[in-house]
Amino acid sequence: MDFLSILSIFVLAVFVGYYVVWSVTPALHTPLMAVTNAISSVIIVGALIAAAAGAITDGGGLSQWLGLLGVVLASVNIFGGFAVTRRMLAMYKKKDKKPAASK
Amino acid sequence: MEHAVAATPAWAVLAYLAAGVLFILALRGLSSPESSQAGNRNGMIGMALAVGTTLALHPTGLLLIIGAIAIGGGIGWVIAQRIQMTAMPELVAGFHSLVGMAAVLVGCAAYLNPGAFGITDATGAILAVSRVEMGLGVAIGAITFSGSIIAFLKLSGRMSGSPILLPGRHIINLGVLAGIIVLTGVFAFDAAAGMGQGPLMWIILGLSFVIGVTLIIPIGGADMPVVISMLNSYSGWAAAAMGFTLQNTAMIITGALVGSSGAILSYIMCKAMNRSFISVIAGGFGADSGGAGAAKGDGVQKPFKAGSADDAAFIMQNAETVIIVPGYGMAVSQAQHALREMGDLLRKEGVSVKYAIHPVAGRMPGHMNVLLAEANVPYDEVFELEDINSEFGQCDVAFVIGANDVTNPLAKTDKTSPIYGMPILDVEKAKTVLFIKRSMGGVGYAGVDNPVFYADNTMMLLADAKKMVENIVKALNGGGH
């Protein structure tokens, strides 16, 4: 892909983000931050490439380890971010539903 | 991309695109609590798709990689299960720092082994455009990292929340920022840098770590909702910059989503404080408030009415409508569970109970909502500022717990007040205001005295928030010992 098509995707995605985020209810702003944090860890893709490539190219040693460390950090975020978001969202209940004992 | 290692196959491009779409759906789900859990699942599927696709494209060194995922994933999962809901702001700040660091690591790895990322030209030099993206990605990542670390330290109380003002900090910050931008430009055209040599990359990285610290230390505790949203935004832009380097649509879409999400939240928070983004970033707000007692006053203690838990219980039992206004103080004393119990007891007596939330109550957007949800308060009893503010005029009791500045009517009348113009909850219009406060000493974050304390219809309940609410619960239960 050339730079301009990537830029087009980026600009359109900014607009999608703008409209989608404005539609998020303020009550869920904390889960919003937690889940955006989890999905921004998609940067793990870059770390995976570095970690995988380092295993086959010579001289990729340092870059392989940087990649692996990146994978660890991003994984903390991915698992932690999605799990904590799930935990929070499970707490939002409507009226009338019996306030059952929280787990 | 004339010299790429191998063009990404079409199925993989489509898979990354699908991951991006699933992330959009994950955010879309948050438009209501009912759809939010399905949304979160979409996010997880999207992430699994992105990771799975990458591993299928680069199936080498898998053992180490799976080990790395297991270690990181295990740590993250355990943290997510154990974390207290009141500690959410520092958790999110901590997670932001990890995204920032991951971006830095990916940028460095790409710089050291550009061939693997397909960003080299025929001579093996890194493409100039990739160097710009890489420089920006690493810089934003590093700022996100060190800035979030400072935010984490402040939010978790390991570092004082009060602003630290370096002399000439604006000059320092602007200078460092200009340095980063100029060096990134030089980096793009420097032949040695193209071959992965020379110190430029590392200087940019170092400067960015420094400015992350100097940007955040002058910003005080109550401005943290803006800071944390801003860092959220940065972590998105860092991911997007890396997405440009890797030409990966999933990363670009996600980066753009997260970047705009954080930016919108920052905007909402600034608007709720009637402050400009620039003035928050410049920092120093509330620097002179440090327990100065009845600041801005004549130094003489004005008369106020104090009450006990029994008085409060009696007043609320005989009310028809009670609106509860929680603030950061409720989070600090972990009073949310006792508060819900109080609400339940009042409702049993036929009192209508609602909760009113100011957008900047707490230390991050939506902080109060999560705490109330944790305490099993149904979300349809919790209202935002603009939806409930008109009801204070007709309500019998406004019960303020741990909030101060967001209820201060001076914001409407006193043009010289630092909080002038900030939208507030009109608690003073209620027939009776019950105001829980630790003591009459502190005057809130902005250092402004609140006339509500001394109003005829206000009863001050001076105690720790949780203790006071528990005592009210006891009194409501017919005890009143």
Side-chain angles (χ1 to χ4, degrees), chain B residues 292-302 410 414 441 443 447-450 454:
Chain B
K296 293 254 161 137
D298 34 22
V300 183
Q301 183 68 62
K302 282 174 262 180
L410 284 182
D414 181 2
V443 282
V448 193
D449 208 0
N450 189 342
Y454 315 106

Side-chain angles (χ1 to χ4, degrees), chain B residues 93-475:
Chain B
F95 277 173
H96 285 157
S97 75
L98 297 182
V99 180
M101 196 62 203
V104 168
L105 291 171
V106 172
C108 294
Y111 179 65
L112 294 172
N113 190 6
F117 289 83
I119 51 172
T120 49
D121 62 15
T123 67
I126 307 171
L127 298 165
V129 60
S130 299
R131 274 182 263 161
V132 174
E133 294 156 2
M134 201 186 278
L136 284 178
V138 166
I140 303 172
I143 295 172
T144 310
F145 172 74
S146 55
S148 299
I149 292 283
I150 299 294
F152 171 81
L153 292 175
K154 287 193 171 206
L155 286 164
S156 61
R158 290 177 175 86
M159 185 174 155
S160 158
S162 53
I164 298 169
L165 304 175
L166 297 177
R169 64 205 149 91
H170 299 312
I171 309 288
I172 297 176
N173 285 342
L174 288 175
V176 174
L177 190 64
I180 292 170
I181 293 170
V182 169
L183 287 177
T184 305
V186 176
F187 181 60
F189 295 104
D190 183 65
M195 302 310 289
Q197 288 153 0
L200 272 175
M201 172 81 168
W202 313 118
I203 298 176
I204 294 173
L205 186 57
L207 285 178
S208 306
F209 279 129
V210 170
I211 198 175
V213 174
T214 56
L215 268 179
I216 307 301
I217 54 171
I219 305 181
D223 280 343
M224 278 299 149
V226 180
V227 169
I228 198 167
S229 313
M230 180 185 84
L231 291 166
N232 183 242
S233 180
Y234 288 176
S235 69
W237 304 129
M242 285 298 147
F244 273 96
T245 309
L246 304 186
Q247 309 204 327
N248 183 298
T249 41
M251 283 167 81
I252 290 171
I253 294 176
T254 315
L257 289 178
V258 179
S260 25
S261 167
I264 290 172
L265 290 176
S266 312
Y267 170 79
I268 295 174
M269 295 299 118
C270 284
K271 216 172 139 232
M273 296 192 292
N274 192 37
R275 312 257 317 272
S276 73
F277 187 67
I278 299 291
S279 87
V280 173
I281 295 310
F285 192 66
D288 48 2
S289 74
K296 293 254 161 137
D298 34 22
V300 183
Q301 183 68 62
K302 282 174 262 180
F304 63 91
K305 245 190 313 192
S308 68
D310 291 343
D311 301 335
F314 180 78
I315 292 171
M316 286 194 284
Q317 271 172 322
N318 292 299
E320 264 172 46
T321 49
V322 173
I323 300 180
I324 297 173
V325 180
Y328 183 57
M330 178 191 81
V332 172
S333 75
Q334 303 255 23
Q336 66 270 28
H337 298 278
L339 191 64
R340 197 258 310 154
E341 209 180 323
M342 184 188 94
D344 286 353
L345 287 170
L346 287 173
R347 198 163 297 119
K348 258 189 221 153
E349 311 227 1
V351 183
S352 142
V353 179
K354 287 177 177 174
Y355 296 81
I357 307 233
H358 192 279
V360 291
R363 285 292 183 265
M364 77 185 290
H367 192 185
M368 292 298 120
N369 303 77
V370 171
L371 294 181
L372 292 177
E374 186 201 11
N376 276 318
V377 173
Y379 61 80
D380 36 5
E381 288 172 10
V382 182
F383 297 88
E384 302 301 320
L385 171 79
E386 61 269 30
D387 298 327
I388 198 163
N389 221 7
S390 57
E391 294 184 26
F392 281 106
Q394 293 96 51
C395 95
D396 296 316
V397 177
F399 185 85
V400 185
I401 169 167
N404 182 3
D405 291 339
V406 299
T407 65
N408 193 333
L410 284 182
K412 288 183 286 193
T413 53
D414 181 2
K415 286 195 175 155
T416 63
S417 169
I419 56 170
Y420 179 72
M422 170 169 159
I424 63 148
L425 289 158
D426 299 326
V427 293
E428 83 278 8
K429 290 186 181 158
K431 287 202 191 87
T432 308
V433 182
L434 297 175
F435 211 118
I436 298 190
K437 207 168 170 311
R438 189 176 282 279
S439 70
M440 289 307 283
V443 282
Y445 171 72
V448 193
D449 208 0
N450 189 342
V452 170
F453 300 158
Y454 315 106
D456 287 339
N457 61 337
T458 299
M459 178 184 278
M460 298 301 295
L461 306 170
L462 300 176
D464 171 74
K466 190 179 177 189
K467 278 241 170 62
M468 176 56 75
V469 176
E470 281 170 351
N471 287 339
I472 294 175
V473 167
K474 261 187 225 156

Side-chain angles (χ1 to χ4, degrees), chain A residues 1 6 9 23 27-28 30 36-39 43 46 48 52-53 63 76-77 79-80 82 84 87 91-95, chain B residues 28 30-31 60 72 76 80-81 83 88 95-96 98-99 113 116 232 247 252 254 365-367 370 376 378-380:
Chain A
M1 270 188 293
I6 294 184
I9 294 174
S23 77
L28 293 178
T30 296
T36 50
N37 186 67
I39 65 174
I43 198 142
L48 288 171
S63 119
V76 172
N77 245 321
F79 284 76
F82 281 122
V84 86
R87 217 181 116 198
M91 299 185 313
Y92 283 81
K93 293 185 198 82
K94 250 192 141 93
K95 218 179 325 210
Chain B
R28 183 73 187 107
L30 292 173
S31 58
T60 50
Q81 304 307 316
I83 191 81
M88 231 23 204
F95 277 173
H96 285 157
L98 297 182
V99 180
N113 190 6
N232 183 242
Q247 309 204 327
I252 290 171
T254 315
H367 192 185
V370 171
N376 276 318
Y379 61 80
D380 36 5

